[in-house]
Amino acid sequence: MSKAIRVWNEYRHEKTHKEVSDIYPDGLHEAIATYLREQPGLQVRTATLDEPQNGLPDSVLSETDVLIWWGHMAHADVAEETVDRLQKRVLEGMGLICLHSAHFSKIFRRLMGTTCNLKWREIGEKERIWVIEPGHPIAAGLGQYFELEHEEMYGERFDIPAPDTLVFVSWFAGGEIFRSGCCYYRGDGKVFYFRPGHETLPTYYDPNVRRAIANAVRWAAPVDGPKHTFGHHPQPIEDVKPWP
Amino acid sequence: MSKAIRVWNEYRHEKTHKEVSDIYPDGLHEAIATYLREQPGLQVRTATLDEPQNGLPDSVLSETDVLIWWGHMAHADVAEETVDRLQKRVLEGMGLICLHSAHFSKIFRRLMGTTCNLKWREIGEKERIWVIEPGHPIAAGLGQYFELEHEEMYGERFDIPAPDTLVFVSWFAGGEIFRSGCCYYRGDGKVFYFRPGHETLPTYYDPNVRRAIANAVRWAAPVDGPKHTFGHHPQPIEDVKPWP
Amino acid sequence: MSKAIRVWNEYRHEKTHKEVSDIYPDGLHEAIATYLREQPGLQVRTATLDEPQNGLPDSVLSETDVLIWWGHMAHADVAEETVDRLQKRVLEGMGLICLHSAHFSKIFRRLMGTTCNLKWREIGEKERIWVIEPGHPIAAGLGQYFELEHEEMYGERFDIPAPDTLVFVSWFAGGEIFRSGCCYYRGDGKVFYFRPGHETLPTYYDPNVRRAIANAVRWAAPVDGPKHTFGHHPQPIEDVKPWP
Amino acid sequence: MSKAIRVWNEYRHEKTHKEVSDIYPDGLHEAIATYLREQPGLQVRTATLDEPQNGLPDSVLSETDVLIWWGHMAHADVAEETVDRLQKRVLEGMGLICLHSAHFSKIFRRLMGTTCNLKWREIGEKERIWVIEPGHPIAAGLGQYFELEHEEMYGERFDIPAPDTLVFVSWFAGGEIFRSGCCYYRGDGKVFYFRPGHETLPTYYDPNVRRAIANAVRWAAPVDGPKHTFGHHPQPIEDVKPWP
């Protein structure tokens, strides 16, 4: 049974910054989607910010198993109404994978409840991503660590809730560390934050980054879990006399 | 060094429901505050919804170490602006203790990122609260469990993030269970959700409930932790040459 | 690619207690194995205590993806040497599912580091198992809760480390609650403790119990994660001058 | 009410390695104990491996609130019987702080259930310890990070259970990262693993290291939590008829 994946990109840098479009001529969503399309059992489409309803009408969301999110310069342009629907859909079971600068996306901050702030620096320093939880499915097929020769630095304190499972921690040449792969259960859904992916760098062509994203997609896919009932349940399951 | 505690109550039921004011003639905030005032090292004041700025201007928040929150029928009347300031203050280090129906308060839902929905039933059934993490300071002075002869039932699925530490789980006569004592680190602050306390019942006079709240106040108090810097840190700590 | 499952049973009660063999004439391992054999992608065998090397020579362990463990009256008869090899194999990636009275098995206690003690009572009372983390794969196909009309009671305090993910919590008619579905990452492996399954009751024919076990098998299966190197790494990855 | 602290040291390097005794002439336990003695509310004594019963007879353990442990070359010389008593006492509530090479101590491995293996390198490279959970009491009084100009490197994969709370993560000049401050609830007790402290380096004179240890002592001290009953509880709390 094929999983429906949607790769969302704000798709602005690519239109205005030649250094970005040189690397991602069809948008970085296509670089990610192209790789995922080669993986078995995934049906992959894309969506972008400037489409109607930010590319994510309910008709799309309701049939999406896992949504991948990349945004950076235009977080503010995502409609509150879109964020409301996204949050609702994640809590109903849709997986969400937030990449890199999506730490500051409205949907990630909404789901985390914290500022999601961090330190950053853009000098193209080396990042080494260490696997901390080797039995986790997101670590499948990876080595003890993998390196990105040039990346933007993100450093702690990363103002997030402690992840339910911490899979990756990054070392940066400039002296910082960062929790780079963070798994969360939220509602019936699952969220994965994955750090790498500055828009001026070919990070989304890196085979380890791609593998981690593909792994995360499978981990984040909905399970056929319980349908909850919430609210007033006046009738006890057991035989109990009302009081007084 | 005394901790500044503020017990906040929406204080509406007490004015309109005789069954509530019979039990809590000065408001349930006073029932809680009176007990806490007897504890060493706490300076305890109260605040209520209908005061200016919902009783919580910045001048109050900035000098509050731990805020206790009870709300039920008037969550919607808490100003968004108040919630913004509350969230900011928690993330800066203030402790927050959300009691009972505060599971649906704006500030708790904001900090959790989930619906915080649950099942409920009001037939005055028995609740038995089991201690799950006996080494946690919130369990100090308690037995293996304590009972509330009559309480409103709250049942799982409780739509919250898994707590960083789960201290209590409740058994209900009607057949449900509930995660009743939930600790969270959020930003530089700490949040404790504590289930008991329906307004028509004398729960806040119960010695175990009171002890748990007093324990939680001490646990949630700010520590003198690091002052973070966020944002652009163009200068690496280590000597790294910019690229390209 | 088929997963190699091994259902281990101490297989003593069935030989000596008619009430047990009446329910599980081929041993309770066969009741579990029979169901799992019907599931796609699983290759299921069994092993029992009184076979040579407790049925688990290295040749068996090395080709086992997930081991299911049921033991009760004969924990002490499992050789320390077997436990050493089991622990090693779990830490190398093998999944381990400990059922019911296996809370007191040597391997579970070894992996937990705690006493794994609990309360118990055998009056055949009702157990209601609530799903707490509905997005977890072990909850797939289940309802909000499922009931076992008659079970042995296990009650908190269950002296275990807090699970990495808590999936189930049980309600018992007699007044106790219990963390019934507990997921752990340990080494490169994964461990799931699942409470139900008293030997004198037909619990392992229950469709929900069976489904949970089958789900757990898939969750606990090894991933193709990193091969670690441990110990002395005299050569830094980065160019650093030794000191002094 | 004063807390009884016991600083345990295997105290071998100091007797045989001049480079160690030059730094810690009275043993590194004394360097730690001296600082702790200056802190209010702590009653601090020491114990060493070669004393009778490894310096930790039950009469000592039973009156110890928090035990600090440093060992390295002589882990094997700690009697199994001592480890049994230590484990029992931690599970009964005593705090345990394992320093540096105590990752390989029998008691730490016993309590973790894993190999506790790691990578190491001894070229005196720089370590920078980042605070990851700033609201935790162990972070009190520290900055965003602190540095140790020269330390032994410990690198991931650190084969431990994911800590209940991760407080520190280290950056090493040679390219590795490490979970350096790990909190665990185990039984009624609490365990803190703290990485720094190679015997040939003056790490235990560092004010940040000292502050972290003093903080950890207070965090790990026992709370007056519930006294459990385990085992057979034939009588249900609620009125339930035995079956069949």
Side-chain angles (χ1 to χ4, degrees):
Chain A
M1 178 178 51
S2 178
K3 300 291 177 194
I5 313 303
R6 186 72 58 161
V7 185
W8 189 94
N9 181 9
E10 66 176 34
Y11 201 25
R12 292 272 178 91
H13 286 285
E14 295 91 333
K15 295 172 184 168
T16 53
H17 295 68
K18 187 173 179 309
E19 60 192 317
V20 180
S21 58
D22 279 355
I23 298 171
Y24 299 113
D26 300 316
L28 56 76
H29 52 295
E30 279 301 330
I32 296 167
T34 297
Y35 173 75
L36 292 177
R37 285 192 188 103
E38 297 162 5
Q39 310 310 312
L42 304 182
Q43 188 181 34
V44 184
R45 296 181 221 187
T46 61
T48 55
L49 174 61
D50 292 324
E51 297 172 45
Q53 293 193 276
N54 303 140
L56 298 170
D58 274 343
S59 59
V60 164
L61 285 183
S62 67
E63 61 176 23
T64 298
D65 291 312
V66 182
L67 181 67
I68 297 173
W69 191 274
W70 196 97
H72 183 216
M73 63 188 284
H75 293 315
D77 293 356
V78 177
E80 287 299 316
E81 179 269 345
T82 299
V83 183
D84 292 343
R85 291 185 299 104
L86 275 171
Q87 181 182 23
K88 181 168 179 291
R89 182 73 184 103
V90 170
L91 298 180
E92 286 170 2
M94 184 180 73
L96 177 69
I97 298 173
C98 290
L99 297 174
H100 190 61
S101 41
H103 75 93
F104 253 173
S105 64
K106 287 180 178 177
I107 181 59
F108 188 64
R109 289 190 293 143
R110 181 84 71 88
L111 285 163
M112 295 294 107
T114 56
T115 68
C116 302
N117 213 341
L118 47 72
K119 295 180 171 64
W120 62 273
R121 177 173 58 238
E122 204 183 332
I123 61 166
E125 69 206 85
K126 189 192 287 185
E127 175 177 14
R128 181 175 296 107
I129 299 178
W130 290 89
V131 175
I132 296 299
E133 203 59 84
H136 195 279
I138 294 181
L142 300 176
Q144 301 191 82
Y145 63 80
F146 59 94
E147 296 182 353
L148 298 167
E149 196 56 36
H150 304 289
E151 251 293 348
E152 184 181 15
M153 184 283 291
Y154 279 7
E156 299 275 348
R157 161 62 174 177
F158 185 18
D159 183 23
I160 50 169
D164 292 319
T165 311
L166 177 61
V167 182
F168 302 128
V169 174
S170 288
W171 176 100
F172 284 97
E176 283 86 358
I177 55 94
F178 195 75
R179 288 171 290 174
S180 277
C182 298
C183 295
Y184 297 94
Y185 289 91
R186 285 298 181 270
D188 296 355
K190 290 186 277 291
V191 179
F192 184 61
Y193 175 79
F194 187 45
R195 200 214 73 82
H198 192 55
E199 67 274 6
T200 61
L201 299 164
T203 300
Y204 293 119
Y205 298 109
D206 179 87
N208 289 303
V209 168
R210 289 179 148 193
R211 178 67 193 261
I213 293 173
N215 289 343
V217 160
R218 295 183 196 284
W219 170 80
V223 300
D224 177 30
K227 305 297 164 256
H228 314 296
T229 55
F230 286 125
H232 198 190
H233 287 64
Q235 195 60 41
I237 306 171
E238 300 293 316
D239 189 26
V240 178
K241 270 180 230 124
W243 174 90
Chain B
M1 176 178 55
S2 177
K3 298 292 177 192
I5 313 303
R6 185 73 58 161
V7 185
W8 188 95
N9 181 11
E10 67 177 33
Y11 201 25
R12 292 273 177 91
H13 286 285
E14 295 92 331
K15 297 172 182 166
T16 53
H17 294 69
K18 186 174 180 309
E19 59 191 320
V20 180
S21 58
D22 279 355
I23 298 171
Y24 299 112
D26 300 315
L28 57 77
H29 51 295
E30 280 300 332
I32 295 168
T34 297
Y35 173 75
L36 292 178
R37 284 191 189 104
E38 298 162 4
Q39 309 310 312
L42 304 182
Q43 188 181 34
V44 184
R45 296 181 221 187
T46 61
T48 57
L49 174 62
D50 293 324
E51 298 171 44
Q53 292 193 276
N54 304 142
L56 298 169
D58 275 343
S59 58
V60 164
L61 285 183
S62 66
E63 61 177 22
T64 298
D65 290 312
V66 182
L67 180 68
I68 297 175
W69 191 273
W70 196 97
H72 183 217
M73 62 187 287
H75 293 315
D77 294 356
V78 177
E80 287 300 315
E81 180 269 345
T82 299
V83 183
D84 292 345
R85 290 185 299 106
L86 276 170
Q87 181 181 22
K88 181 167 179 292
R89 182 72 184 105
V90 170
L91 298 180
E92 286 170 1
M94 183 181 73
L96 177 69
I97 298 174
C98 290
L99 297 174
H100 190 60
S101 42
H103 75 92
F104 253 174
S105 63
K106 287 180 178 177
I107 181 60
F108 188 64
R109 290 191 293 143
R110 183 83 72 86
L111 286 163
M112 295 294 107
T114 56
T115 69
C116 302
N117 213 339
L118 47 73
K119 295 180 172 63
W120 61 274
R121 178 172 58 238
E122 203 183 331
I123 61 165
E125 69 205 86
K126 189 192 285 184
E127 175 177 14
R128 181 175 297 107
I129 298 179
W130 290 89
V131 174
I132 296 300
E133 202 60 83
H136 196 279
I138 294 181
L142 301 175
Q144 300 191 83
Y145 63 83
F146 59 93
E147 296 182 354
L148 298 167
E149 197 55 35
H150 304 287
E151 251 293 347
E152 185 180 14
M153 185 282 292
Y154 278 7
E156 297 276 347
R157 163 61 173 177
F158 185 18
D159 182 25
I160 49 170
D164 291 318
T165 311
L166 177 62
V167 182
F168 302 129
V169 173
S170 288
W171 176 99
F172 284 97
E176 284 86 357
I177 55 94
F178 195 76
R179 288 171 289 175
S180 278
C182 299
C183 296
Y184 297 94
Y185 289 90
R186 286 298 181 270
D188 295 355
K190 291 186 276 291
V191 179
F192 184 62
Y193 175 79
F194 186 44
R195 200 214 74 82
H198 191 55
E199 67 274 8
T200 62
L201 299 164
T203 300
Y204 293 120
Y205 298 109
D206 179 87
N208 290 302
V209 168
R210 289 180 148 192
R211 179 66 194 261
I213 293 173
N215 290 343
V217 160
R218 295 183 197 284
W219 171 80
V223 301
D224 176 30
K227 306 298 164 255
H228 314 295
T229 55
F230 286 125
H232 197 190
H233 287 63
Q235 195 60 41
I237 307 171
E238 299 292 316
D239 188 26
V240 179
K241 270 182 228 123
W243 174 89
Chain C
M1 181 178 51
S2 179
K3 298 293 176 193
I5 314 302
R6 186 73 57 161
V7 184
W8 189 95
N9 181 11
E10 66 176 34
Y11 202 25
R12 293 269 177 93
H13 286 285
E14 296 91 331
K15 295 171 183 169
T16 53
H17 294 69
K18 187 175 179 308
E19 60 190 319
V20 179
S21 58
D22 279 355
I23 298 171
Y24 299 112
D26 301 315
L28 57 77
H29 53 295
E30 279 300 332
I32 295 168
T34 298
Y35 172 75
L36 292 178
R37 286 192 186 102
E38 298 163 4
Q39 310 311 312
L42 304 182
Q43 188 180 34
V44 183
R45 296 181 222 187
T46 61
T48 56
L49 174 61
D50 293 324
E51 297 171 44
Q53 293 193 274
N54 304 143
L56 298 170
D58 274 343
S59 59
V60 164
L61 284 183
S62 66
E63 60 175 23
T64 298
D65 291 312
V66 182
L67 180 68
I68 298 175
W69 191 274
W70 196 99
H72 183 216
M73 62 188 285
H75 293 314
D77 293 356
V78 178
E80 287 299 316
E81 179 269 344
T82 299
V83 183
D84 292 343
R85 291 185 297 105
L86 275 170
Q87 181 181 23
K88 182 168 179 290
R89 183 71 184 105
V90 170
L91 299 180
E92 286 170 3
M94 183 181 73
L96 177 70
I97 298 174
C98 290
L99 296 175
H100 190 61
S101 41
H103 75 92
F104 253 173
S105 63
K106 287 179 178 177
I107 181 58
F108 189 63
R109 287 191 294 143
R110 182 83 72 86
L111 286 163
M112 297 293 107
T114 56
T115 68
C116 302
N117 213 340
L118 47 73
K119 295 180 172 65
W120 61 274
R121 178 173 57 237
E122 203 182 332
I123 60 166
E125 69 205 85
K126 189 190 286 182
E127 175 177 14
R128 182 174 296 109
I129 298 178
W130 290 89
V131 174
I132 296 300
E133 204 60 83
H136 195 278
I138 294 181
L142 301 175
Q144 301 191 83
Y145 63 82
F146 60 94
E147 295 181 355
L148 298 167
E149 197 56 34
H150 304 290
E151 251 294 347
E152 184 181 15
M153 185 283 293
Y154 278 7
E156 298 277 349
R157 160 63 175 178
F158 186 17
D159 183 24
I160 50 169
D164 292 319
T165 310
L166 178 62
V167 182
F168 302 129
V169 174
S170 287
W171 176 100
F172 285 97
E176 283 87 358
I177 55 94
F178 195 75
R179 287 171 290 174
S180 277
C182 299
C183 297
Y184 297 94
Y185 288 91
R186 284 298 182 271
D188 296 354
K190 291 186 276 289
V191 178
F192 184 61
Y193 175 79
F194 187 44
R195 201 213 73 82
H198 192 55
E199 67 274 7
T200 62
L201 299 165
T203 300
Y204 293 120
Y205 299 109
D206 179 87
N208 290 304
V209 169
R210 290 179 147 192
R211 178 67 193 261
I213 293 173
N215 290 343
V217 160
R218 295 181 196 286
W219 170 80
V223 301
D224 176 28
K227 306 298 165 255
H228 313 296
T229 55
F230 286 124
H232 197 190
H233 287 65
Q235 195 59 41
I237 307 171
E238 300 292 317
D239 188 27
V240 178
K241 271 181 229 122
W243 173 90
Chain D
M1 179 178 50
S2 178
K3 299 291 176 194
I5 313 303
R6 186 72 56 162
V7 185
W8 189 94
N9 181 12
E10 65 177 33
Y11 200 25
R12 293 270 178 92
H13 286 285
E14 295 92 331
K15 297 170 182 168
T16 53
H17 294 69
K18 186 173 180 308
E19 60 190 318
V20 180
S21 58
D22 279 355
I23 298 172
Y24 299 112
D26 300 316
L28 57 76
H29 51 296
E30 280 300 332
I32 295 168
T34 298
Y35 172 75
L36 292 179
R37 286 191 188 105
E38 299 162 3
Q39 309 311 312
L42 304 182
Q43 189 180 34
V44 184
R45 296 180 222 188
T46 62
T48 56
L49 174 60
D50 293 324
E51 298 171 43
Q53 293 192 275
N54 305 142
L56 299 170
D58 275 343
S59 59
V60 163
L61 284 183
S62 66
E63 60 176 23
T64 299
D65 291 311
V66 181
L67 181 67
I68 298 174
W69 191 274
W70 196 97
H72 183 217
M73 62 187 287
H75 293 314
D77 293 356
V78 177
E80 286 301 314
E81 180 267 345
T82 299
V83 183
D84 292 344
R85 292 185 298 105
L86 275 171
Q87 181 181 24
K88 182 167 178 291
R89 182 71 184 105
V90 170
L91 299 180
E92 286 171 1
M94 183 181 72
L96 178 69
I97 298 174
C98 291
L99 297 175
H100 190 61
S101 42
H103 75 93
F104 253 174
S105 64
K106 287 180 178 177
I107 182 59
F108 188 63
R109 289 189 293 141
R110 181 84 71 86
L111 286 163
M112 296 294 107
T114 56
T115 68
C116 302
N117 213 339
L118 47 74
K119 295 179 172 65
W120 60 275
R121 178 172 57 238
E122 204 183 330
I123 60 166
E125 69 205 86
K126 189 191 287 184
E127 175 178 14
R128 180 175 297 108
I129 298 179
W130 289 90
V131 174
I132 295 299
E133 203 60 83
H136 196 280
I138 294 181
L142 301 175
Q144 301 191 81
Y145 63 82
F146 59 95
E147 296 182 355
L148 298 166
E149 197 55 34
H150 304 289
E151 251 294 346
E152 184 181 15
M153 185 283 292
Y154 278 7
E156 298 276 348
R157 162 62 173 177
F158 185 18
D159 183 24
I160 49 168
D164 292 319
T165 310
L166 177 61
V167 182
F168 301 129
V169 173
S170 287
W171 177 99
F172 284 97
E176 283 86 358
I177 55 94
F178 195 76
R179 288 171 290 173
S180 278
C182 298
C183 296
Y184 297 93
Y185 289 91
R186 284 299 181 269
D188 296 356
K190 292 186 276 289
V191 178
F192 184 61
Y193 175 80
F194 187 45
R195 202 214 72 82
H198 191 55
E199 66 275 5
T200 61
L201 299 164
T203 300
Y204 293 119
Y205 299 109
D206 180 88
N208 290 302
V209 168
R210 292 180 145 191
R211 177 65 193 261
I213 293 173
N215 290 342
V217 161
R218 295 182 196 285
W219 170 80
V223 301
D224 175 29
K227 305 298 165 252
H228 313 296
T229 56
F230 286 124
H232 197 190
H233 287 64
Q235 196 58 41
I237 307 171
E238 300 292 316
D239 188 26
V240 177
K241 272 181 228 125
W243 174 91

